[in-house]
Amino acid sequence: VQLVESGGGLVQTGGSLRLSCAAAGFLFDDYAIGWFRQAPGKECEGVSAIVTSDGGTIYADSIKGRFTISSDNAQNTVYLQMNNLRPEDTAIYYCAAREELLLSFKENGYNYWGQGTQVTVDS
């Protein structure tokens, strides 16, 4: 079982990035997928999550209206479209999968984690 994030990088304030989370060894249909982020010196924060089998989603208040989570089940990939990025969005972004089909930001409920991708928003 493996999760691989990609799409991070350096962007100016107000710019956009699309992160991808690709799975190997399991099908997203059977899992809930979450995006988390951790900035230097701060705790890990839940950003968004999706249950790909029914399309249910949740978003953190800090990113509502700017970020959109989506999935391509044929590609076994979940995306996080990030628009209107701000310096405070700078962090390492991780995707995670949980066997229980529950929309949650509780990290200990997630069974598998990717290695993370760095997002830096330059003011």
Side-chain angles (χ1 to χ4, degrees):
V1 173
Q2 189 177 15
L3 293 169
V4 179
E5 302 97 334
S6 61
L10 173 64
V11 66
Q12 297 293 314
T13 296
S16 298
L17 286 173
R18 189 177 79 158
L19 305 184
S20 299
C21 173
F26 66 97
L27 296 176
F28 272 162
D29 278 0
D30 298 330
Y31 291 80
I33 306 298
W35 282 100
F36 294 80
R37 67 185 182 185
Q38 188 163 24
K42 295 188 177 180
E43 292 186 353
C44 189
E45 172 191 21
V47 175
S48 184
I50 186 169
V51 172
T52 62
S53 58
D54 66 15
T57 59
I58 56 171
Y59 294 93
D61 288 342
S62 59
I63 57 86
K64 274 183 183 175
R66 301 188 296 123
F67 292 9
T68 303
I69 192 170
S70 63
S71 67
D72 183 339
N73 291 358
Q75 297 295 323
N76 220 29
T77 301
V78 168
Y79 302 99
L80 185 68
Q81 177 66 44
M82 306 187 297
N83 298 329
N84 192 19
L85 283 160
R86 303 167 181 170
E88 55 264 39
D89 295 318
T90 294
I92 299 174
Y93 284 70
Y94 301 89
C95 69
R98 65 182 292 158
E99 294 172 350
E100 185 178 13
L101 295 181
L102 179 68
L103 292 170
S104 170
F105 288 146
K106 291 184 178 180
E107 298 161 48
N108 59 7
Y110 286 80
N111 307 97
Y112 307 106
W113 290 78
Q115 83 289 348
T117 185
Q118 176 72 47
V119 170
T120 302
V121 185
D122 190 354
S123 59

